[in-house]
Amino acid sequence: MSTSLKEDSETSGDEGGGDTEMKQQETAPVPALPKKTKQPKECFLIQPKETKEESTKTRKWKKKKITDILAKSEPKPGTPEDLQKLMKDYYSSNRSVIELEELNLPDSCFLKANDLTHSLSSYLKEICPKWVKLRKNHTEKKSVLMLILCSSAVRALELIRSMTAFKGDSKVMKLFAKHIKVQKQVKLLEKRAVHLGVGTPGRIKELVKQGGLDLNPLKFLVFDWNWRDQKLKRMMDIPEIRKEVFELLEMGICSLCQSESLKLGLF
């Protein structure tokens, strides 16, 4: 009897032990499978769409300036056609056909233009070989025989210094606004005969308005056409100067050219 009980207990113990082992196997953590290594993906940067404002700004920034264009272009001598075209463009929007004809400059009034090989003295000698005789015969006050138009007072002084070989004993007058009042210039013109006037169109225009300068005895009007400033602009590239030049031309210059008593030169 005792033997059978012992066997039963051993048997039950074996069975219980088996259950424990089964449970341990069921609850034991399953080892995780090794994860696959992720391959790096290609990244594509999507460009943001350009707004209208940004595109406009870009266009403005890329717009070529006149100085950039001129810096890359070779110097070209001015021609009478250049002046004629500028006048046509300036007046065509607000003048009638008849008014435009009154401002027309005949081809015969133009002297030979500077081909960029001349100094001012050599150019003036070429266009006015009889200067000495003209100068001696000129005795009228409040007038000049020759006007040279330029863009600034500094440039006017440079031109006066560079024409030494041409002017000789001629009386030369500075006709610009810097440090010189209009009234003083009027008195100087009334006091003595002046042969050469070098200055800016704005001041010359003012002297004509005030009756200090009579344009009728004028024989030569020379434009400082080809010279360029630090920004590579010529005098006629500057809107303010161009406007004053055309206003001066209307104050009797065009009619003198049409009557062939006045000649124009482009230096």
Side-chain angles (χ1 to χ4, degrees):
M1 183 79 181
S2 61
T3 306
S4 61
L5 285 168
K6 187 177 178 181
E7 288 175 353
D8 291 340
S9 65
E10 285 176 359
T11 306
S12 62
D14 290 342
E15 289 176 356
D19 291 341
T20 306
E21 286 177 8
M22 291 278 293
K23 284 178 183 177
Q24 284 176 352
Q25 286 176 3
E26 288 174 4
T27 57
V30 180
L33 294 170
K35 290 183 180 180
K36 290 182 179 179
T37 308
K38 289 185 179 181
Q39 295 296 324
K41 293 182 179 179
E42 285 188 78
C43 291
F44 297 96
L45 294 175
I46 300 170
Q47 296 292 337
K49 288 185 179 180
E50 194 180 44
T51 61
K52 285 184 179 179
E53 289 182 5
E54 287 173 345
S55 63
T56 307
K57 284 179 183 177
T58 307
R59 282 194 210 103
K60 284 182 180 177
W61 182 75
K62 287 182 179 178
K63 188 177 179 182
K64 287 184 179 180
K65 295 180 180 179
I66 188 168
T67 50
D68 298 329
I69 297 167
L70 291 171
K72 292 178 182 178
S73 62
E74 291 183 7
K76 242 171 98 177
T79 63
E81 290 75 23
D82 294 334
L83 179 57
Q84 297 276 37
K85 187 180 182 303
L86 283 174
M87 287 187 72
K88 187 179 179 182
D89 294 343
Y90 184 81
Y91 289 115
S92 58
S93 60
N94 55 10
R95 298 296 171 96
S96 66
V97 177
I98 297 170
E99 286 173 326
L100 286 172
E101 284 179 3
E102 290 174 355
L103 295 171
N104 184 49
L105 297 172
D107 294 336
S108 58
C109 77
F110 285 96
L111 297 160
K112 186 179 177 182
N114 179 18
D115 59 1
L116 303 182
T117 63
H118 283 284
S119 65
L120 181 57
S121 283
S122 68
Y123 177 69
L124 295 179
K125 282 179 180 179
E126 183 172 328
I127 64 170
C128 183
K130 297 180 181 179
W131 174 251
V132 176
K133 186 179 177 180
L134 283 171
R135 171 174 59 79
K136 286 179 179 178
N137 294 333
H138 179 69
T139 56
E140 295 177 56
K141 295 175 183 178
K142 296 172 65 174
S143 67
V144 294
L145 281 173
M146 182 183 289
L147 269 178
I148 300 175
L149 295 183
C150 58
S151 58
S152 67
V154 174
R155 179 59 180 163
L157 292 172
E158 286 177 4
L159 290 172
I160 291 169
R161 285 193 293 268
S162 68
M163 65 165 71
T164 308
F166 172 78
K167 67 183 180 183
D169 296 327
S170 304
K171 300 294 181 186
V172 182
M173 190 165 172
K174 304 166 189 173
L175 302 176
F176 48 76
K178 196 171 185 180
H179 307 310
I180 308 172
K181 293 182 178 179
V182 181
Q183 292 77 13
K184 185 179 179 181
Q185 288 171 334
V186 170
K187 287 178 181 178
L188 288 170
L189 286 164
E190 288 175 345
K191 189 177 179 181
R192 63 183 183 183
V194 178
H195 306 107
L196 273 160
V198 186
T200 55
R203 174 47 61 93
I204 293 168
K205 189 180 71 174
E206 190 60 34
L207 287 166
V208 174
K209 271 186 183 178
Q210 294 196 20
L213 181 63
D214 180 14
L215 294 175
N216 287 317
L218 187 65
K219 298 300 177 189
F220 300 93
L221 177 62
V222 179
F223 294 86
D224 184 29
W225 191 273
N226 297 302
W227 181 80
R228 298 183 186 277
D229 62 14
Q230 289 181 342
K231 295 182 179 179
L232 301 177
K233 291 184 179 181
R234 299 170 302 178
M235 63 179 289
M236 296 301 277
D237 292 327
I238 304 167
E240 298 82 6
I241 303 293
R242 186 167 62 242
K243 178 176 179 289
E244 289 178 339
V245 167
F246 291 140
E247 287 176 356
L248 177 61
L249 292 180
E250 284 188 83
M251 299 172 75
I253 299 290
C254 290
S255 58
L256 289 171
C257 289
Q258 289 164 355
S259 66
E260 298 190 358
S261 67
L262 176 62
K263 300 293 182 182
L264 302 180
L266 305 179
F267 171 63

